[in-house]
Amino acid sequence: RGDKDSKDEL
Amino acid sequence: MNIFRLIGDMSHLLAIVLLLLKMWKTRSCAGISGKSQILFALVFATRYLDLFTAFISAYNSTMKLFFISTSLVTVYLMYFKFRATYDANHDTFRLEFLVVPVGGLAFLVNHNFSPLEILWTFSIYLESVAILPQLFMMSKTGEAETITSHYLFALGSYRALYILNWVFRYYFEGFFDLIAVVAGCVQTILYCDFFYLYITKVLKGKKLSLPA
């Protein structure tokens, strides 16, 4: 999991 | 960002605002599970620690700050300001039965064994079951105020909309996060019985009462 990928979700 | 996620986020926002308005206007938190609200505060506090380590967008940071702060305000209102109206006798779900297994699972099944990632995973798993004390409370009292059912409908719809967002992202962005998707599906399934009652009763102008 790319850090940016799912942390853009809330 | 796609339309499903945006509507999902707005639905989540609406749920929180509805709950705060209900409490503020009626000066009461009757019918609301303080235990579910504690779990939601814990969910936000453990998930949004990346506020300090990564900047994604102004939208992202603003929403995270809003969710953390409103969840704390909600818990404060329930356990301090409007404590006299809190229906503790019916709010008897044991939090340790959720927090302990979820904590264990987050340690065992995660994307990356690092503190922030384990806390993120814990938060995702915990959110999927955080509504259980509220549903348990409603099953004990056998009913819910209409405003409370609107709140729950908005809160449940948010994760259902996120599922559509994940389907969209899988096809158009090649994005897929197994942990978020499985937990999101579990979370949505838990609301299905409530959704059925909401559509068949509340939307037809009746109060939400559970079949005996």
Side-chain angles (χ1 to χ4, degrees), chain B residues 80-106:
Chain B
F80 296 94
K81 195 165 176 67
F82 301 139
R83 190 185 181 94
T85 63
Y86 168 47
D87 194 6
N89 290 337
H90 289 119
D91 194 14
T92 50
F93 198 97
R94 301 271 297 271
L95 287 191
E96 60 272 33
F97 292 161
L98 292 179
V99 174
V100 173
V102 158
L105 192 62

mmCIF file of all heavy atoms in Angstrom, chain B residues 80-106:
data_model
loop_
_atom_site.group_PDB
_atom_site.id
_atom_site.type_symbol
_atom_site.label_atom_id
_atom_site.label_comp_id
_atom_site.label_asym_id
_atom_site.label_seq_id
_atom_site.Cartn_x
_atom_site.Cartn_y
_atom_site.Cartn_z
ATOM 1 N N PHE B 80 -20.377 14.984 30.001
ATOM 2 C CA PHE B 80 -20.274 16.105 30.934
ATOM 3 C C PHE B 80 -21.498 17.012 30.856
ATOM 4 O O PHE B 80 -22.347 16.977 31.729
ATOM 5 C CB PHE B 80 -18.969 16.882 30.692
ATOM 6 C CG PHE B 80 -17.760 16.040 30.988
ATOM 7 C CD1 PHE B 80 -17.123 15.329 29.983
ATOM 8 C CD2 PHE B 80 -17.276 15.927 32.296
ATOM 9 C CE1 PHE B 80 -16.021 14.521 30.263
ATOM 10 C CE2 PHE B 80 -16.169 15.127 32.589
ATOM 11 C CZ PHE B 80 -15.542 14.420 31.570
ATOM 12 N N LYS B 81 -21.623 17.773 29.783
ATOM 13 C CA LYS B 81 -22.664 18.802 29.732
ATOM 14 C C LYS B 81 -24.088 18.228 29.846
ATOM 15 O O LYS B 81 -24.894 18.735 30.610
ATOM 16 C CB LYS B 81 -22.525 19.608 28.437
ATOM 17 C CG LYS B 81 -23.332 20.911 28.470
ATOM 18 C CD LYS B 81 -22.918 21.849 27.367
ATOM 19 C CE LYS B 81 -23.772 23.089 27.328
ATOM 20 N NZ LYS B 81 -23.590 23.940 28.513
ATOM 21 N N PHE B 82 -24.374 17.183 29.070
ATOM 22 C CA PHE B 82 -25.735 16.620 29.103
ATOM 23 C C PHE B 82 -25.771 15.251 29.766
ATOM 24 O O PHE B 82 -26.609 14.412 29.450
ATOM 25 C CB PHE B 82 -26.303 16.535 27.673
ATOM 26 C CG PHE B 82 -26.378 17.852 26.963
ATOM 27 C CD1 PHE B 82 -26.042 17.963 25.610
ATOM 28 C CD2 PHE B 82 -26.782 19.011 27.629
ATOM 29 C CE1 PHE B 82 -26.093 19.179 24.959
ATOM 30 C CE2 PHE B 82 -26.836 20.236 26.975
ATOM 31 C CZ PHE B 82 -26.490 20.329 25.640
ATOM 32 N N ARG B 83 -24.853 15.038 30.679
ATOM 33 C CA ARG B 83 -24.726 13.729 31.302
ATOM 34 C C ARG B 83 -26.030 13.233 31.941
ATOM 35 O O ARG B 83 -26.340 12.037 31.920
ATOM 36 C CB ARG B 83 -23.622 13.780 32.378
ATOM 37 C CG ARG B 83 -23.281 12.411 32.880
ATOM 38 C CD ARG B 83 -22.294 12.400 34.025
ATOM 39 N NE ARG B 83 -22.057 10.989 34.381
ATOM 40 C CZ ARG B 83 -21.050 10.286 33.895
ATOM 41 N NH1 ARG B 83 -20.174 10.846 33.118
ATOM 42 N NH2 ARG B 83 -20.923 9.013 34.202
ATOM 43 N N ALA B 84 -26.798 14.166 32.505
ATOM 44 C CA ALA B 84 -28.036 13.797 33.190
ATOM 45 C C ALA B 84 -29.035 13.112 32.251
ATOM 46 O O ALA B 84 -29.897 12.350 32.694
ATOM 47 C CB ALA B 84 -28.668 15.033 33.816
ATOM 48 N N THR B 85 -28.912 13.392 30.953
ATOM 49 C CA THR B 85 -29.872 12.825 29.998
ATOM 50 C C THR B 85 -29.341 11.557 29.334
ATOM 51 O O THR B 85 -30.025 10.939 28.531
ATOM 52 C CB THR B 85 -30.191 13.845 28.879
ATOM 53 O OG1 THR B 85 -28.974 14.109 28.155
ATOM 54 C CG2 THR B 85 -30.721 15.142 29.446
ATOM 55 N N TYR B 86 -28.110 11.202 29.676
ATOM 56 C CA TYR B 86 -27.488 10.031 29.045
ATOM 57 C C TYR B 86 -28.100 8.751 29.613
ATOM 58 O O TYR B 86 -28.170 8.560 30.826
ATOM 59 C CB TYR B 86 -25.970 10.086 29.274
ATOM 60 C CG TYR B 86 -25.214 8.829 28.930
ATOM 61 C CD1 TYR B 86 -25.434 8.169 27.721
ATOM 62 C CD2 TYR B 86 -24.274 8.302 29.813
ATOM 63 C CE1 TYR B 86 -24.732 7.008 27.411
ATOM 64 C CE2 TYR B 86 -23.565 7.156 29.507
ATOM 65 C CZ TYR B 86 -23.799 6.508 28.314
ATOM 66 O OH TYR B 86 -23.110 5.363 28.020
ATOM 67 N N ASP B 87 -28.527 7.907 28.702
ATOM 68 C CA ASP B 87 -29.267 6.701 29.056
ATOM 69 C C ASP B 87 -28.301 5.533 29.300
ATOM 70 O O ASP B 87 -28.273 4.560 28.540
ATOM 71 C CB ASP B 87 -30.214 6.409 27.871
ATOM 72 C CG ASP B 87 -31.274 5.392 28.227
ATOM 73 O OD1 ASP B 87 -31.344 5.001 29.402
ATOM 74 O OD2 ASP B 87 -32.016 4.993 27.315
ATOM 75 N N ALA B 88 -27.516 5.633 30.384
ATOM 76 C CA ALA B 88 -26.459 4.643 30.631
ATOM 77 C C ALA B 88 -26.999 3.238 30.895
ATOM 78 O O ALA B 88 -26.352 2.240 30.574
ATOM 79 C CB ALA B 88 -25.590 5.097 31.808
ATOM 80 N N ASN B 89 -28.209 3.166 31.450
ATOM 81 C CA ASN B 89 -28.781 1.851 31.766
ATOM 82 C C ASN B 89 -28.967 0.968 30.546
ATOM 83 O O ASN B 89 -28.960 -0.257 30.653
ATOM 84 C CB ASN B 89 -30.150 2.015 32.437
ATOM 85 C CG ASN B 89 -30.009 2.572 33.831
ATOM 86 O OD1 ASN B 89 -28.941 2.440 34.436
ATOM 87 N ND2 ASN B 89 -31.050 3.211 34.326
ATOM 88 N N HIS B 90 -29.183 1.608 29.405
ATOM 89 C CA HIS B 90 -29.382 0.829 28.183
ATOM 90 C C HIS B 90 -28.115 0.730 27.335
ATOM 91 O O HIS B 90 -28.105 0.056 26.319
ATOM 92 C CB HIS B 90 -30.525 1.434 27.344
ATOM 93 C CG HIS B 90 -31.870 1.225 27.959
ATOM 94 N ND1 HIS B 90 -32.681 2.270 28.349
ATOM 95 C CD2 HIS B 90 -32.525 0.085 28.294
ATOM 96 C CE1 HIS B 90 -33.786 1.776 28.877
ATOM 97 N NE2 HIS B 90 -33.722 0.462 28.866
ATOM 98 N N ASP B 91 -27.072 1.461 27.759
ATOM 99 C CA ASP B 91 -25.828 1.488 26.973
ATOM 100 C C ASP B 91 -24.813 0.557 27.634
ATOM 101 O O ASP B 91 -23.826 0.989 28.200
ATOM 102 C CB ASP B 91 -25.298 2.925 26.929
ATOM 103 C CG ASP B 91 -24.216 3.106 25.870
ATOM 104 O OD1 ASP B 91 -24.061 2.219 25.014
ATOM 105 O OD2 ASP B 91 -23.535 4.156 25.911
ATOM 106 N N THR B 92 -25.078 -0.744 27.520
ATOM 107 C CA THR B 92 -24.315 -1.691 28.341
ATOM 108 C C THR B 92 -23.380 -2.589 27.547
ATOM 109 O O THR B 92 -22.903 -3.586 28.051
ATOM 110 C CB THR B 92 -25.284 -2.575 29.144
ATOM 111 O OG1 THR B 92 -26.265 -3.112 28.245
ATOM 112 C CG2 THR B 92 -25.973 -1.776 30.222
ATOM 113 N N PHE B 93 -23.130 -2.244 26.298
ATOM 114 C CA PHE B 93 -22.203 -3.051 25.498
ATOM 115 C C PHE B 93 -20.806 -2.950 26.121
ATOM 116 O O PHE B 93 -20.380 -1.886 26.544
ATOM 117 C CB PHE B 93 -22.190 -2.528 24.064
ATOM 118 C CG PHE B 93 -21.639 -3.507 23.074
ATOM 119 C CD1 PHE B 93 -22.490 -4.313 22.333
ATOM 120 C CD2 PHE B 93 -20.273 -3.627 22.875
ATOM 121 C CE1 PHE B 93 -21.986 -5.222 21.422
ATOM 122 C CE2 PHE B 93 -19.760 -4.540 21.966
ATOM 123 C CZ PHE B 93 -20.619 -5.333 21.240
ATOM 124 N N ARG B 94 -20.087 -4.069 26.189
ATOM 125 C CA ARG B 94 -18.758 -4.063 26.796
ATOM 126 C C ARG B 94 -17.705 -3.709 25.753
ATOM 127 O O ARG B 94 -17.416 -4.494 24.856
ATOM 128 C CB ARG B 94 -18.461 -5.438 27.407
ATOM 129 C CG ARG B 94 -19.475 -5.852 28.487
ATOM 130 C CD ARG B 94 -19.056 -5.361 29.854
ATOM 131 N NE ARG B 94 -17.806 -5.974 30.248
ATOM 132 C CZ ARG B 94 -17.698 -7.123 30.900
ATOM 133 N NH1 ARG B 94 -18.770 -7.787 31.246
ATOM 134 N NH2 ARG B 94 -16.518 -7.609 31.228
ATOM 135 N N LEU B 95 -17.118 -2.507 25.904
ATOM 136 C CA LEU B 95 -16.165 -2.015 24.905
ATOM 137 C C LEU B 95 -14.940 -2.911 24.748
ATOM 138 O O LEU B 95 -14.401 -3.051 23.650
ATOM 139 C CB LEU B 95 -15.697 -0.600 25.272
ATOM 140 C CG LEU B 95 -16.708 0.525 25.073
ATOM 141 C CD1 LEU B 95 -16.033 1.863 25.222
ATOM 142 C CD2 LEU B 95 -17.390 0.405 23.726
ATOM 143 N N GLU B 96 -14.501 -3.528 25.848
ATOM 144 C CA GLU B 96 -13.293 -4.360 25.755
ATOM 145 C C GLU B 96 -13.488 -5.538 24.807
ATOM 146 O O GLU B 96 -12.528 -6.030 24.217
ATOM 147 C CB GLU B 96 -12.831 -4.826 27.146
ATOM 148 C CG GLU B 96 -13.824 -5.659 27.925
ATOM 149 C CD GLU B 96 -14.777 -4.812 28.764
ATOM 150 O OE1 GLU B 96 -15.129 -3.694 28.360
ATOM 151 O OE2 GLU B 96 -15.175 -5.308 29.848
ATOM 152 N N PHE B 97 -14.745 -5.965 24.623
ATOM 153 C CA PHE B 97 -15.001 -7.071 23.697
ATOM 154 C C PHE B 97 -14.794 -6.662 22.236
ATOM 155 O O PHE B 97 -14.704 -7.504 21.346
ATOM 156 C CB PHE B 97 -16.419 -7.626 23.873
ATOM 157 C CG PHE B 97 -16.631 -8.322 25.194
ATOM 158 C CD1 PHE B 97 -17.909 -8.537 25.695
ATOM 159 C CD2 PHE B 97 -15.547 -8.756 25.944
ATOM 160 C CE1 PHE B 97 -18.096 -9.171 26.913
ATOM 161 C CE2 PHE B 97 -15.731 -9.400 27.165
ATOM 162 C CZ PHE B 97 -17.008 -9.604 27.645
ATOM 163 N N LEU B 98 -14.751 -5.365 21.988
ATOM 164 C CA LEU B 98 -14.448 -4.893 20.634
ATOM 165 C C LEU B 98 -12.996 -4.452 20.531
ATOM 166 O O LEU B 98 -12.276 -4.841 19.619
ATOM 167 C CB LEU B 98 -15.359 -3.714 20.251
ATOM 168 C CG LEU B 98 -16.843 -4.016 20.063
ATOM 169 C CD1 LEU B 98 -17.595 -2.744 19.712
ATOM 170 C CD2 LEU B 98 -17.040 -5.066 18.982
ATOM 171 N N VAL B 99 -12.564 -3.630 21.501
ATOM 172 C CA VAL B 99 -11.238 -3.008 21.393
ATOM 173 C C VAL B 99 -10.109 -4.040 21.455
ATOM 174 O O VAL B 99 -9.149 -3.968 20.679
ATOM 175 C CB VAL B 99 -11.060 -1.936 22.498
ATOM 176 C CG1 VAL B 99 -9.647 -1.396 22.497
ATOM 177 C CG2 VAL B 99 -12.059 -0.803 22.277
ATOM 178 N N VAL B 100 -10.232 -5.029 22.342
ATOM 179 C CA VAL B 100 -9.154 -6.013 22.497
ATOM 180 C C VAL B 100 -8.991 -6.900 21.245
ATOM 181 O O VAL B 100 -7.886 -6.983 20.694
ATOM 182 C CB VAL B 100 -9.331 -6.836 23.796
ATOM 183 C CG1 VAL B 100 -8.299 -7.966 23.874
ATOM 184 C CG2 VAL B 100 -9.221 -5.919 25.019
ATOM 185 N N PRO B 101 -10.050 -7.548 20.767
ATOM 186 C CA PRO B 101 -9.878 -8.353 19.545
ATOM 187 C C PRO B 101 -9.444 -7.524 18.342
ATOM 188 O O PRO B 101 -8.591 -7.958 17.553
ATOM 189 C CB PRO B 101 -11.268 -8.945 19.293
ATOM 190 C CG PRO B 101 -12.025 -8.779 20.541
ATOM 191 C CD PRO B 101 -11.423 -7.649 21.296
ATOM 192 N N VAL B 102 -9.996 -6.328 18.203
ATOM 193 C CA VAL B 102 -9.629 -5.470 17.082
ATOM 194 C C VAL B 102 -8.156 -5.062 17.168
ATOM 195 O O VAL B 102 -7.431 -5.053 16.166
ATOM 196 C CB VAL B 102 -10.561 -4.230 17.040
ATOM 197 C CG1 VAL B 102 -9.933 -3.095 16.278
ATOM 198 C CG2 VAL B 102 -11.913 -4.602 16.435
ATOM 199 N N GLY B 103 -7.693 -4.784 18.386
ATOM 200 C CA GLY B 103 -6.284 -4.454 18.590
ATOM 201 C C GLY B 103 -5.391 -5.622 18.209
ATOM 202 O O GLY B 103 -4.371 -5.459 17.529
ATOM 203 N N GLY B 104 -5.780 -6.816 18.620
ATOM 204 C CA GLY B 104 -5.011 -8.014 18.276
ATOM 205 C C GLY B 104 -4.955 -8.225 16.779
ATOM 206 O O GLY B 104 -3.885 -8.488 16.207
ATOM 207 N N LEU B 105 -6.096 -8.074 16.136
ATOM 208 C CA LEU B 105 -6.158 -8.275 14.688
ATOM 209 C C LEU B 105 -5.296 -7.258 13.942
ATOM 210 O O LEU B 105 -4.622 -7.591 12.951
ATOM 211 C CB LEU B 105 -7.616 -8.183 14.222
ATOM 212 C CG LEU B 105 -7.896 -8.646 12.793
ATOM 213 C CD1 LEU B 105 -7.559 -10.132 12.650
ATOM 214 C CD2 LEU B 105 -9.356 -8.398 12.421
ATOM 215 N N ALA B 106 -5.287 -6.007 14.447
ATOM 216 C CA ALA B 106 -4.492 -4.961 13.792
ATOM 217 C C ALA B 106 -2.992 -5.287 13.860
ATOM 218 O O ALA B 106 -2.235 -4.981 12.942
ATOM 219 C CB ALA B 106 -4.775 -3.600 14.430
#
